[in-house]
PDB file of all heavy atoms in Angstrom:
ATOM      1  N   GLU A 167      51.758  -1.619  -6.939  1.00  0.00           N
ATOM      2  CA  GLU A 167      51.888  -1.684  -8.387  1.00  0.00           C
ATOM      3  C   GLU A 167      50.525  -1.469  -9.011  1.00  0.00           C
ATOM      4  O   GLU A 167      49.515  -1.857  -8.419  1.00  0.00           O
ATOM      5  CB  GLU A 167      52.419  -3.061  -8.794  1.00  0.00           C
ATOM      6  CG  GLU A 167      53.886  -3.041  -9.165  1.00  0.00           C
ATOM      7  CD  GLU A 167      54.420  -4.449  -9.291  1.00  0.00           C
ATOM      8  OE1 GLU A 167      53.871  -5.206 -10.120  1.00  0.00           O
ATOM      9  OE2 GLU A 167      55.359  -4.790  -8.554  1.00  0.00           O
ATOM     10  N   PRO A 168      50.451  -0.846 -10.177  1.00  0.00           N
ATOM     11  CA  PRO A 168      49.150  -0.579 -10.805  1.00  0.00           C
ATOM     12  C   PRO A 168      48.353  -1.871 -10.997  1.00  0.00           C
ATOM     13  O   PRO A 168      48.919  -2.901 -11.345  1.00  0.00           O
ATOM     14  CB  PRO A 168      49.509   0.026 -12.169  1.00  0.00           C
ATOM     15  CG  PRO A 168      50.919   0.458 -12.060  1.00  0.00           C
ATOM     16  CD  PRO A 168      51.572  -0.358 -11.001  1.00  0.00           C
ATOM     17  N   LEU A 169      47.070  -1.792 -10.736  1.00  0.00           N
ATOM     18  CA  LEU A 169      46.201  -2.943 -10.961  1.00  0.00           C
ATOM     19  C   LEU A 169      45.930  -3.100 -12.448  1.00  0.00           C
ATOM     20  O   LEU A 169      45.735  -2.115 -13.151  1.00  0.00           O
ATOM     21  CB  LEU A 169      44.873  -2.743 -10.236  1.00  0.00           C
ATOM     22  CG  LEU A 169      44.897  -2.739  -8.716  1.00  0.00           C
ATOM     23  CD1 LEU A 169      43.501  -2.443  -8.180  1.00  0.00           C
ATOM     24  CD2 LEU A 169      45.401  -4.083  -8.189  1.00  0.00           C
ATOM     25  N   GLU A 170      45.923  -4.344 -12.904  1.00  0.00           N
ATOM     26  CA  GLU A 170      45.590  -4.601 -14.303  1.00  0.00           C
ATOM     27  C   GLU A 170      44.088  -4.848 -14.398  1.00  0.00           C
ATOM     28  O   GLU A 170      43.635  -5.984 -14.323  1.00  0.00           O
ATOM     29  CB  GLU A 170      46.364  -5.823 -14.821  1.00  0.00           C
ATOM     30  CG  GLU A 170      47.857  -5.641 -14.903  1.00  0.00           C
ATOM     31  CD  GLU A 170      48.268  -4.760 -16.086  1.00  0.00           C
ATOM     32  OE1 GLU A 170      47.453  -4.628 -17.039  1.00  0.00           O
ATOM     33  OE2 GLU A 170      49.384  -4.199 -16.054  1.00  0.00           O
ATOM     34  N   ILE A 171      43.328  -3.793 -14.498  1.00  0.00           N
ATOM     35  CA  ILE A 171      41.874  -3.974 -14.580  1.00  0.00           C
ATOM     36  C   ILE A 171      41.413  -3.886 -16.021  1.00  0.00           C
ATOM     37  O   ILE A 171      40.584  -4.665 -16.478  1.00  0.00           O
ATOM     38  CB  ILE A 171      41.137  -2.902 -13.754  1.00  0.00           C
ATOM     39  CG1 ILE A 171      41.669  -2.883 -12.326  1.00  0.00           C
ATOM     40  CG2 ILE A 171      39.637  -3.177 -13.748  1.00  0.00           C
ATOM     41  CD1 ILE A 171      41.071  -1.803 -11.486  1.00  0.00           C
ATOM     42  N   LEU A 172      41.978  -2.919 -16.727  1.00  0.00           N
ATOM     43  CA  LEU A 172      41.562  -2.703 -18.103  1.00  0.00           C
ATOM     44  C   LEU A 172      41.843  -3.952 -18.941  1.00  0.00           C
ATOM     45  O   LEU A 172      42.819  -4.648 -18.716  1.00  0.00           O
ATOM     46  CB  LEU A 172      42.319  -1.499 -18.668  1.00  0.00           C
ATOM     47  CG  LEU A 172      41.719  -0.906 -19.931  1.00  0.00           C
ATOM     48  CD1 LEU A 172      40.305  -0.442 -19.687  1.00  0.00           C
ATOM     49  CD2 LEU A 172      42.590   0.244 -20.422  1.00  0.00           C
ATOM     50  N   TYR A 173      40.969  -4.209 -19.892  1.00  0.00           N
ATOM     51  CA  TYR A 173      41.077  -5.371 -20.785  1.00  0.00           C
ATOM     52  C   TYR A 173      40.990  -6.687 -20.037  1.00  0.00           C
ATOM     53  O   TYR A 173      41.657  -7.661 -20.360  1.00  0.00           O
ATOM     54  CB  TYR A 173      42.370  -5.304 -21.619  1.00  0.00           C
ATOM     55  CG  TYR A 173      42.471  -4.009 -22.390  1.00  0.00           C
ATOM     56  CD1 TYR A 173      43.634  -3.243 -22.347  1.00  0.00           C
ATOM     57  CD2 TYR A 173      41.385  -3.547 -23.139  1.00  0.00           C
ATOM     58  CE1 TYR A 173      43.711  -2.038 -23.037  1.00  0.00           C
ATOM     59  CE2 TYR A 173      41.460  -2.346 -23.817  1.00  0.00           C
ATOM     60  CZ  TYR A 173      42.615  -1.590 -23.764  1.00  0.00           C
ATOM     61  OH  TYR A 173      42.680  -0.412 -24.416  1.00  0.00           O
ATOM     62  N   THR A 174      40.214  -6.712 -18.959  1.00  0.00           N
ATOM     63  CA  THR A 174      39.930  -7.972 -18.272  1.00  0.00           C
ATOM     64  C   THR A 174      38.413  -8.152 -18.257  1.00  0.00           C
ATOM     65  O   THR A 174      37.675  -7.185 -18.483  1.00  0.00           O
ATOM     66  CB  THR A 174      40.402  -7.950 -16.802  1.00  0.00           C
ATOM     67  OG1 THR A 174      39.655  -6.943 -16.123  1.00  0.00           O
ATOM     68  CG2 THR A 174      41.883  -7.680 -16.679  1.00  0.00           C
ATOM     69  N   PRO A 175      37.948  -9.371 -17.995  1.00  0.00           N
ATOM     70  CA  PRO A 175      36.497  -9.580 -17.854  1.00  0.00           C
ATOM     71  C   PRO A 175      35.903  -8.640 -16.813  1.00  0.00           C
ATOM     72  O   PRO A 175      34.791  -8.143 -16.986  1.00  0.00           O
ATOM     73  CB  PRO A 175      36.397 -11.038 -17.396  1.00  0.00           C
ATOM     74  CG  PRO A 175      37.602 -11.687 -17.975  1.00  0.00           C
ATOM     75  CD  PRO A 175      38.688 -10.646 -17.930  1.00  0.00           C
ATOM     76  N   ALA A 176      36.650  -8.358 -15.732  1.00  0.00           N
ATOM     77  CA  ALA A 176      36.128  -7.483 -14.682  1.00  0.00           C
ATOM     78  C   ALA A 176      35.781  -6.110 -15.252  1.00  0.00           C
ATOM     79  O   ALA A 176      34.752  -5.524 -14.909  1.00  0.00           O
ATOM     80  CB  ALA A 176      37.143  -7.345 -13.556  1.00  0.00           C
ATOM     81  N   ALA A 177      36.650  -5.614 -16.134  1.00  0.00           N
ATOM     82  CA  ALA A 177      36.401  -4.295 -16.718  1.00  0.00           C
ATOM     83  C   ALA A 177      35.128  -4.322 -17.564  1.00  0.00           C
ATOM     84  O   ALA A 177      34.348  -3.367 -17.559  1.00  0.00           O
ATOM     85  CB  ALA A 177      37.594  -3.863 -17.563  1.00  0.00           C
ATOM     86  N   VAL A 178      34.922  -5.441 -18.285  1.00  0.00           N
ATOM     87  CA  VAL A 178      33.724  -5.550 -19.122  1.00  0.00           C
ATOM     88  C   VAL A 178      32.466  -5.532 -18.253  1.00  0.00           C
ATOM     89  O   VAL A 178      31.518  -4.791 -18.515  1.00  0.00           O
ATOM     90  CB  VAL A 178      33.767  -6.852 -19.963  1.00  0.00           C
ATOM     91  CG1 VAL A 178      32.463  -7.021 -20.729  1.00  0.00           C
ATOM     92  CG2 VAL A 178      34.950  -6.822 -20.912  1.00  0.00           C
ATOM     93  N   VAL A 179      32.492  -6.344 -17.185  1.00  0.00           N
ATOM     94  CA  VAL A 179      31.316  -6.399 -16.308  1.00  0.00           C
ATOM     95  C   VAL A 179      31.087  -5.038 -15.661  1.00  0.00           C
ATOM     96  O   VAL A 179      29.959  -4.534 -15.601  1.00  0.00           O
ATOM     97  CB  VAL A 179      31.485  -7.505 -15.245  1.00  0.00           C
ATOM     98  CG1 VAL A 179      30.338  -7.443 -14.238  1.00  0.00           C
ATOM     99  CG2 VAL A 179      31.533  -8.861 -15.916  1.00  0.00           C
TER     100      VAL A 179
END
Side-chain angles (χ1 to χ4, degrees):
Chain A
E167 257 169 58
L169 293 177
E170 294 285 339
I171 307 176
L172 197 59
Y173 305 131
T174 63
V178 175
V179 173

